């Protein structure tokens, strides 16, 4: 399998002149709503501010734009674009002067994939007004008469939604018809058809419940105190962006803290952490009280991610604690949104949605983008209907601090069948919390994360996740029977179906064709329908051109990822990460080198 080596492709957001442009100013001198969301009547509604903020984000780009006139069409280069307008760069002085003198122009352009968030990669033909010009650089700023979101809803989205919804309904109907066949032939092969019925029911109900999910709306008056803990190990490339995104939150200054805990990194992570914290304190420290709100620790020795998170929790006294991975970047309203479910006293933890930051790097990252969105927006959303989310994911999760402190020692020192648990920290903490409390999911609390762009790294990550899933699912099985009946049934079905999947695939693809000389047409059609459900749900909910990679993921899963499950059964005790050199990985490498050395010496002695 050929590995890629290209650089990660990320959205290029035009930076604000201020480092902390979203933080409410305690002095009242800087008003976010003045720039981000005050409507024409001067109302300062928080939802309107958030909506206006998203519309106003400017993305750096360089695609061509056509300016249509009566007899000619002029060309210019788009330097940056938002939902509400764009900035054009002209090469020709005469063309610049011609457009500069007009009040309105007609534009025609196509936004390339990766320039704006998924769903905007479309063709546009709309009018705009000239709002500013710069003679020195021949640049003209234009404001759309109709923003891109409104244009999409009027010209594109309704047809996409109708087509995707119709396709999804048709696929669901086909799945039901196929399972009717399973009932008819049930007595001929009870176990096989029972598995087919259970698997199809599980899949259909997850998608159905996911469609009914709604996030908890924002109550602007509910602002519990929060500490964001960022564990870091060898993350010099991304850690500064992560820290900046965590402190630059639209949340009361006196209610939010950020703690970075470096787990003895061997690269320049500590230097980068200190650099960005010093810079923030120097420029914005006094205004935003950063001396008391932003700090970092360096572990005396590498003790693992759980120990790093634990140290952060121990060094704060806020109502809630958020865990954010060191290669994940928060939306400016992530904290504001993720705290909302905690208005329910029984709520112990909540997960936010994690999008892929480097989606358009290559086909592997596009495939993961579809998988991530389905896993969060469908699977976790379905679990959230019953407040039984079984994994509050590491990139963005939030807990009541007193609950974390209650289970902290057991969590850090967790063992399974005599082996220390070094990964799966998110699933493990979720189990501790879920055993006696509720866990939910907030789709409006968004972060983006860097995913592997090389197959070798991706496969190691997936193997680690499967081992932790197997271990923690078995642990969760001890208490899930006490939960709401439907959530309980779905959990145990969700545990059995993936574990038996390799056996079912072997039976259908090898045993039946070889012994009964029957081509597995029905089974292949079932796989195709499963892929179509993932792809069409991505198209329906996100309207992204990446929806086709749902088919690619399902094929990749059946050919590659599925066969990691049997390996996980027999290697669940392994403590290596595979994607970074933790102490366990160092020990594993030393053992490999020792074995190679022994073989070499043995070969030399024999000769």
């Amino acid at each position: 399998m050929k590995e890629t080596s290209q650089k990660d492709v990320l959205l290029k957001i035009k930076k604000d002149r201020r480092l902390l442009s979203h933080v409410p100013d305690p002095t009242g001198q800087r008003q976010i709503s003045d720039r981000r969301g005050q409507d024409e009547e001067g109302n300062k509604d928080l939802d309107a501010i958030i909506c206006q903020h998203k519309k106003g984000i400017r993305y750096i780009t360089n695609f061509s734009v056509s300016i249509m006139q009566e007899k000619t069409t002029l060309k210019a280069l788009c330097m940056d674009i938002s939902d509400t307008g764009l900035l054009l760069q002209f090469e020709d002085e005469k063309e610049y002067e011609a457009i500069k003198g007009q009040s309105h122009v007609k534009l025609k352009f196509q936004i390339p994939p990766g320039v704006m968030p998924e769903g905007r990669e479309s063709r546009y033909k709309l009018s705009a007004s000239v709002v500013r010009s710069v003679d020195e650089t021949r640049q003209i700023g234009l404001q759309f008469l109709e923003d891109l979101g409104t244009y999409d809803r009027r010209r594109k989205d309704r047809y996409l939604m109708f087509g995707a919804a119709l396709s999804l309904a048709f696929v669901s109907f086909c799945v039901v018809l196929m399972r009717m066949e399973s009932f008819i032939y049930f007595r001929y092969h009870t176990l096989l058809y029972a598995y087919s019925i259970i698997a199809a029911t599980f899949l259909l109900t997850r998608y159905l419940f996911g469609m009914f999910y709604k996030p908890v709306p924002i109550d602007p008056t509910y602002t519990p105190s929060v500490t964001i803990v960022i564990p870091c190990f060898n993350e010099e490339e991304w850690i500064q962006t992560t820290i900046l995104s965590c402190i630059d939150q639209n949340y009361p200054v006196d209610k939010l803290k950020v703690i970075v805990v470096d787990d003895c990194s061997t690269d320049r992570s500590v230097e980068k952490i200190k650099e960005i914290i010093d810079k923030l304190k120097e420029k914005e420290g006094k205004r935003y009280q950063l001396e008391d709100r932003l700090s970092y620790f360096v572990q005396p020795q590498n003790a693992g991610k759980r120990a790093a998170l634990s140290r952060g929790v121990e060094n704060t006294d806020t109502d809630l604690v958020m865990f954010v991975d060191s290669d994940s970047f928060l939306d400016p309203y992530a904290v504001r949104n993720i705290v909302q479910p905690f208005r329910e006293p029984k709520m112990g933890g909540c997960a936010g949605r994690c999008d892929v930051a480097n989606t358009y790097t290559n086909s592997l990252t596009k495939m993961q983008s579809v998988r991530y969105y389905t896993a969060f927006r469908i699977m976790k959303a379905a679990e959230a209907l019953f407040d039984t989310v079984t994994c509050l994911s590491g990139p963005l999760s939030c807990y009541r601090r007193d609950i974390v402190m209650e289970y902290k020692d057991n969590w850090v020192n967790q063992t399974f069948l005599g082996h220390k648990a070094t990964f799966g920290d998110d699933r493990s903490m979720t189990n501790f919390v879920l055993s006696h409390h509720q866990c939910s999911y907030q789709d409006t609390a968004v972060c983006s994360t860097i995913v592997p762009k090389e197959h070798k790294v991706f496969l190691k990550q997936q193997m680690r996740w499967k081992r932790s899933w197997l271990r923690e699912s078995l642990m969760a099985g001890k208490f899930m029977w006490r939960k709401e009946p439907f959530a309980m049934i779905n959990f145990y079905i969700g545990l059995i179906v993936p574990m038996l999947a390799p056996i079912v695939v072997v039976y259908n693809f090898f045993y039946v064709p070889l012994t009964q000389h029957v081509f597995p047409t029905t089974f292949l059609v079932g796989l195709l329908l499963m892929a179509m459900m993932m792809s069409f749900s991505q198209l329906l909910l996100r309207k992204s051109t990446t929806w086709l990679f749902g088919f690619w993921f399902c094929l990749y899963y059946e050919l590659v990822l599925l066969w990691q499950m049997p390996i996980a059964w027999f290697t669940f005790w392994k403590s290596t990460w595979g994607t970074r050199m933790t102490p366990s990985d160092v020990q594993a490498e030393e053992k490999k080198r020792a074995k190679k050395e022994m073989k070499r010496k043995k070969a030399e002695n024999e000769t």
Side-chain angles (χ1 to χ4, degrees):
M1 200 176 290
K2 187 177 180 180
E3 300 295 341
T4 58
S5 58
Q6 65 262 52
K7 189 177 180 180
D8 286 303
V9 176
L10 307 176
L11 293 178
K12 297 179 181 179
I13 298 177
K14 193 166 187 177
K15 294 182 180 180
D16 195 283
R17 66 181 182 277
R18 296 179 289 168
L19 288 173
L20 304 179
S21 59
H22 300 96
V23 182
D25 186 358
T27 67
Q29 296 178 22
R30 297 175 178 174
Q31 297 296 325
I32 297 175
S33 58
D34 291 342
R35 304 173 65 252
R36 301 291 187 188
Q38 187 165 318
D39 61 25
E40 293 177 357
E41 298 179 358
N43 298 321
K44 296 182 180 180
D45 177 74
L46 184 57
D47 289 331
I49 291 174
I50 294 174
C51 180
Q52 195 65 23
H53 157 73
K54 294 185 183 298
K55 288 182 179 180
I57 297 175
R58 297 161 70 184
Y59 301 90
I60 299 173
T61 183
N62 60 352
F63 62 84
S64 178
V65 175
S66 299
I67 303 101
M68 295 174 290
Q69 296 185 319
E70 292 183 1
K71 297 181 180 179
T72 60
T73 299
L74 306 180
K75 292 286 185 178
L77 192 65
C78 178
M79 304 302 293
D80 68 59
I81 186 171
S82 69
D83 270 1
T84 58
L86 48 71
L87 178 67
L88 294 182
Q89 171 75 60
F90 287 82
E91 290 288 336
D92 188 270
E93 180 72 28
K94 291 182 179 180
E95 293 181 354
Y96 165 75
E97 292 293 338
I99 300 301
K100 172 187 172 182
Q102 298 188 28
S103 58
H104 292 83
V105 294
K106 291 183 178 180
L107 306 175
K108 185 177 181 181
F109 56 89
Q110 180 173 1
I111 300 177
V115 167
M116 296 185 74
E118 290 186 54
R120 286 287 183 265
E121 55 273 32
S122 304
R123 289 186 176 89
Y124 293 90
K125 187 176 181 181
L126 37 70
S127 298
S129 58
V130 177
V131 293
R132 71 178 185 275
S133 59
V134 182
D135 293 337
E136 292 80 5
T137 58
R138 292 197 295 274
Q139 292 181 341
I140 294 178
L142 301 172
Q143 182 176 345
F144 302 134
L145 300 186
E146 180 181 45
D147 66 69
L148 299 186
T150 304
Y151 181 92
D152 283 343
R153 287 190 293 273
R154 183 172 60 84
R155 300 288 296 272
K156 181 192 72 170
D157 288 358
R158 58 181 178 179
Y159 301 110
L160 274 180
M161 291 180 68
F162 177 76
L166 187 64
S167 300
L168 201 55
F170 175 74
V171 171
S172 301
F173 178 70
C174 291
V175 172
V176 172
L177 283 182
M178 290 186 66
R179 295 295 69 86
M180 293 292 291
E181 180 190 45
S182 298
F183 279 107
I184 295 172
Y185 295 103
F186 187 81
R187 61 192 179 96
Y188 295 107
H189 205 306
T190 304
L191 291 177
L192 178 63
Y193 287 115
Y195 176 89
S196 299
I197 294 169
I198 291 172
T201 303
F202 172 76
L203 185 67
L204 287 174
T205 53
R206 283 295 179 98
Y207 277 87
L208 177 64
F209 292 147
M211 294 299 177
F212 281 106
Y213 164 82
K214 289 184 179 180
V216 179
I218 292 178
D219 177 0
T221 64
Y222 182 71
T223 54
S225 57
V226 182
T227 296
I228 301 175
V229 182
I230 309 170
C232 178
F233 181 79
N234 288 358
E235 205 67 72
E236 63 175 312
E237 184 176 4
W238 306 113
I239 187 61
Q240 291 193 346
T241 306
T242 300
I243 294 171
L244 190 57
S245 75
C246 289
I247 198 66
D248 188 22
Q249 288 289 309
N250 180 269
Y251 205 73
V253 165
D254 59 336
K255 297 292 186 68
L256 180 65
K257 297 179 181 179
V258 175
I259 297 176
V260 188
V261 184
D262 184 83
D263 195 25
C264 256
S265 294
T266 57
D267 63 358
R268 297 174 61 240
S269 292
V270 176
E271 181 184 332
K272 291 289 185 179
I273 292 169
K274 187 177 185 302
E275 180 183 295
I276 188 64
I277 289 180
D278 289 345
K279 182 178 180 181
L280 283 166
K281 288 183 177 180
E282 179 186 352
K283 292 191 174 183
E284 305 283 10
K286 186 176 181 180
R287 181 185 296 273
Y288 297 110
Q289 305 166 25
L290 294 183
E291 286 294 337
D292 301 321
R293 300 198 306 119
L294 181 59
S295 58
Y296 74 98
F297 300 98
V298 179
Q299 296 282 68
Q301 60 183 19
N302 188 291
K305 186 177 179 180
R306 299 187 194 204
L309 289 168
S310 178
R311 185 171 183 185
V313 176
E314 291 169 351
N315 282 275
T316 190
D317 58 356
T318 52
D319 301 321
L320 306 176
V321 289
M322 283 176 61
F323 295 159
V324 175
D325 283 348
S326 52
D327 59 353
S328 299
F329 322 124
L330 299 189
D331 176 87
Y333 298 88
V335 176
R336 176 80 67 172
N337 278 284
I338 204 169
V339 303
Q340 299 307 315
F342 291 94
R343 298 192 327 241
E344 167 58 53
K346 295 180 180 179
M347 191 62 62
C350 182
R353 191 179 89 220
C354 182
D355 291 339
V356 173
N358 54 335
T359 296
Y360 293 98
T361 301
N362 56 30
S363 59
L364 179 61
T365 56
K366 292 175 185 176
M367 177 190 79
Q368 292 176 80
S369 179
V370 179
R371 173 55 181 163
Y372 268 60
Y373 192 77
T374 303
F376 283 87
R377 182 57 186 85
I378 300 295
M379 302 305 173
K380 288 192 191 302
E383 293 178 333
L385 286 184
F386 307 98
D387 293 322
T388 55
V389 175
T390 54
C391 180
L392 306 182
S393 303
L396 176 56
S397 57
C398 190
Y399 306 88
R400 294 193 188 276
R401 180 182 178 273
D402 58 345
I403 297 177
V404 175
M405 289 298 293
E406 179 183 352
Y407 297 111
K408 175 177 65 67
D409 292 337
N410 291 336
W411 180 52
V412 173
N413 301 308
Q414 181 191 13
T415 60
F416 185 72
L417 297 181
H419 296 275
K420 183 174 176 59
T422 59
F423 49 75
D425 50 278
D426 47 6
R427 284 187 177 274
S428 178
M429 178 52 73
T430 304
N431 275 348
F432 283 119
V433 177
L434 188 58
S435 60
H436 297 96
H437 306 83
Q438 295 176 350
C439 290
S440 191
Y441 164 71
Q442 184 75 342
D443 187 64
T444 52
V446 182
C447 79
S448 56
T449 192
I450 303 296
V451 299
K453 60 180 180 290
E454 298 179 355
H455 290 276
K456 182 179 179 180
V457 178
F458 174 68
L459 291 175
K460 287 181 177 180
Q461 178 203 66
Q462 294 299 305
M463 178 58 74
R464 186 178 76 245
W465 286 2
K466 283 180 173 61
R467 287 172 180 149
S468 65
W469 173 86
L470 178 61
R471 181 188 71 220
E472 297 304 329
S473 294
L474 294 175
M475 299 292 287
K478 297 178 181 179
F479 63 80
M480 284 298 293
W481 59 272
R482 299 196 300 264
K483 298 295 181 180
E484 196 276 337
F486 206 92
M488 174 196 69
I489 293 171
N490 264 270
F491 170 79
Y492 288 111
I493 291 176
L495 175 60
I496 294 171
V497 168
M499 293 181 67
L500 295 181
I503 299 173
V504 173
V505 171
V506 169
Y507 178 85
N508 280 280
F509 271 131
F510 298 101
Y511 179 79
V512 171
L514 292 175
T515 60
Q516 302 179 27
H517 306 290
V518 176
F519 188 76
T521 304
T522 303
F523 188 74
L524 289 172
V525 171
L527 294 180
L528 176 62
L529 292 174
M530 180 177 68
M532 292 173 70
M533 289 196 73
M534 175 180 284
S535 292
F536 289 140
S537 63
Q538 172 83 353
L539 184 61
L540 175 65
L541 297 173
R542 206 169 199 186
K543 311 172 190 69
S544 171
T545 55
T546 59
W547 68 277
L548 287 168
F549 286 86
F551 293 96
W552 166 228
F553 173 79
C554 289
L555 178 63
Y556 194 100
Y557 182 86
E558 293 298 325
L559 294 178
V560 182
L561 300 182
L562 181 70
W563 307 106
Q564 289 185 325
M565 186 62 72
I567 300 174
W569 295 347
F570 299 104
T571 60
F572 65 87
W573 46 267
K574 282 196 171 185
S575 57
T576 55
W577 279 62
T579 55
R580 67 183 195 181
M581 295 305 293
T582 65
S584 297
D585 291 87
V586 173
Q587 292 177 8
E589 287 296 321
E590 289 177 350
K591 286 181 180 180
K592 287 181 181 179
R593 284 195 292 267
K595 286 182 180 180
K596 288 181 179 180
E597 184 65 20
M598 287 179 63
K599 288 181 180 180
R600 186 185 66 79
K601 289 181 178 181
K602 185 178 180 180
E604 289 177 353
N605 292 334
E606 289 177 353
T607 56

